[in-house]
Amino acid sequence: MGERAKEWLLAAAAGAAVGALSAAAVMNHLSRSKRREGHVRNLLESNGMTAGNTRSNRHLGAVGSSDLLSDEVVSEQLTRNIQFFGMDSQKKVTESYVVVIGLGGVGSHAASMLLRSGVGRLLLVDFDQVSLSSLNRHAVATRDDVGTSKALCLKKHFSMIYPECQIDAKVQLYDASSEAEILSGQPDFVLDCIDNIDTKVALLAACMRRGLKVLSAMGAGARADPTRIRVADLRESSNDPSLDRLVRYRLKKEHGIEGGIPVVFSLEKPKAKLLPFQASKEEETPSDYQIVPGFRVRIIPVLGTIPAIFGQVMASYVITQLAGLDFQTEPVVNLDLDHYRILHQRLIEHEELMYGTAEQVLVDAEEVMYVVKELWRGRSARDQSQKDTGRKMWRSVNELMLVRWDKSKAAGISNLILLKFSEADAHESTTLDRIKEEEPEFYSMVSRVLKRAEMEFAL
């Protein structure tokens, strides 16, 4: 049977299966698919590459990054992202440059999704090699890759997934001597996926000093609960005794950095500890097994899914930032439902005192949770500055209460602000016009936050 006849049979079968879809439409799809396959094959072959040969170190796209999305193959490969972000925002992603340092379980998954989301240029940095035991958490490595550089392993696989991306791979340890080389070129984002404290602290300090956006991964080992993974400021991460705490301490002591760095971390307490060091000879010490001085030799047990999720979270955060999609990360607020019930009851009592009735209270305890946690992040509306992020998030509700922002409107989700008692008294004795005139920045901030509530609840 001829090839053309086979295609017509497939078209006819598909037409019968889907009913409304015509055979001609299926044939058109088959034709387009063949053209796309040929386009990708030509891209690879024109750069001296096949599926098993990824030697090219330059940009592989047939078109420039500015009009890459007009390419038929690229636009269809990224079509779901384009539908999600819109063409202009996806173009920002496609024209971006991201550096990923540390390519193990976390970094390989982060880099993989950055690539699959259309990031135009990636610099992949790691001095280490793929090991057999790392296959339980690596994004793309196979047994054939064991013993090869993690950076070159990713580049090889990535070039077959999205050959238009400019991928640079450095088999190199990040340290002070390599800072200029690795962090030059004004990357749009740097991902810190390093598990060594010395190197991590040096990288984070360098990014802050250079004014580079950086996202850091804290400890993903010895954990199992994916629901406890968060993105927050470094000040708010607190549950990893071996990594988060030491990184915070050293950044503050050695570099004067107390916050301002977003991190991915887990609220879960580690389920296991570092395994004991076992030497093959009595006279050997852990330092005898270090590939690089100062790097950990003892092994921490790792459930492969958790570092993979860490990496996916990092990629999602960075991609949305690059695209300009604004969203609020879930705040880390240590309040239980009883605290929100107290605030709800406090609101009712305040309304009765001020207005003689609580009939205008249009929220219940669960909606109070949204207002307090999501809108005001567990802090007074007058205490929202980034520098105060951290331990103040964990305060008691003893000194906080909800009051109406606009006294002429009911106490609904989009008209409640969280204040300290003294601030609430002052607010009740002034007017919105006066606040707008005397404190325009505060007025604009509160209006913006409450507008978000209107949009999210379609009020």
Side-chain angles (χ1 to χ4, degrees), residues 75-138:
S75 63
E76 177 145 343
Q77 182 169 343
L78 299 176
T79 186
R80 295 299 187 268
N81 284 57
I82 294 170
Q83 292 166 349
F84 184 82
F85 288 127
M87 183 63 77
D88 290 341
S89 293
Q90 180 60 41
K91 185 178 178 181
K92 295 177 183 177
V93 176
T94 305
E95 295 178 346
S96 64
Y97 169 38
V98 179
V99 177
V100 184
I101 305 176
L103 305 174
V106 176
S108 65
H109 282 274
S112 176
M113 285 312 301
L114 290 172
L115 175 91
R116 292 178 185 274
S117 299
V119 168
R121 181 184 173 196
L122 286 170
L123 172 57
L124 309 174
V125 183
D126 200 311
F127 72 93
D128 204 2
Q129 297 178 340
V130 176
S131 65
L132 194 59
S133 65
S134 67
L135 297 186
N136 83 317
R137 57 194 182 278
H138 200 276

Side-chain angles (χ1 to χ4, degrees), residues 267-387:
L267 294 170
E268 182 183 9
K269 296 293 185 183
K271 292 286 188 293
K273 298 180 180 180
L274 286 171
L275 298 179
F277 171 73
Q278 293 182 335
S280 58
K281 299 178 181 179
E282 290 185 4
E283 65 272 15
E284 289 178 334
T285 66
S287 61
D288 296 326
Y289 286 80
Q290 288 179 332
I291 300 175
V292 176
F295 272 65
R296 188 183 69 225
V297 173
R298 293 167 63 196
I299 298 170
I300 187 168
V302 179
L303 180 64
T305 54
I306 300 302
I309 296 171
F310 266 59
Q312 301 284 335
V313 170
M314 295 184 81
S316 184
Y317 180 91
V318 170
I319 293 162
T320 52
Q321 289 280 310
L322 294 172
L325 178 65
D326 184 33
F327 70 94
Q328 295 289 328
T329 57
E330 183 183 15
V332 183
V333 180
N334 189 27
L335 299 176
D336 58 30
L337 189 56
D338 285 341
H339 288 104
Y340 298 112
R341 291 193 181 106
I342 291 172
L343 289 170
H344 183 243
Q345 182 60 34
R346 199 170 285 166
L347 170 62
I348 291 174
E349 293 172 357
H350 180 72
E351 286 282 311
E352 291 174 342
L353 178 64
M354 295 294 299
Y355 305 102
T357 177
E359 291 180 356
Q360 292 295 300
V361 175
L362 306 182
V363 293
D364 57 22
E366 290 189 0
E367 290 165 329
V368 164
M369 180 187 299
Y370 168 82
V371 173
V372 173
K373 183 176 182 179
E374 298 292 337
L375 296 185
W376 302 114
R377 307 180 76 81
R379 301 193 301 272
S380 164
R382 291 189 172 278
D383 188 22
Q384 295 291 307
S385 63
Q386 184 65 40
K387 69 178 183 179

Side-chain angles (χ1 to χ4, degrees), residues 32-45 73:
R32 290 200 311 271
S33 297
K34 284 199 167 188
R35 292 201 304 271
R36 293 184 195 107
E37 290 171 3
H39 174 77
V40 173
R41 186 165 53 251
N42 290 337
L43 271 176
L44 296 174
E45 291 175 353
V73 175

Side-chain angles (χ1 to χ4, degrees), residues 57 98 146 160 179 189 195 265 282 286 327 361 370:
N57 192 40
V98 179
V146 172
M160 292 184 283
E179 174 189 327
F189 240 105
D195 61 3
F265 68 104
E282 290 185 4
F327 70 94
V361 175
Y370 168 82

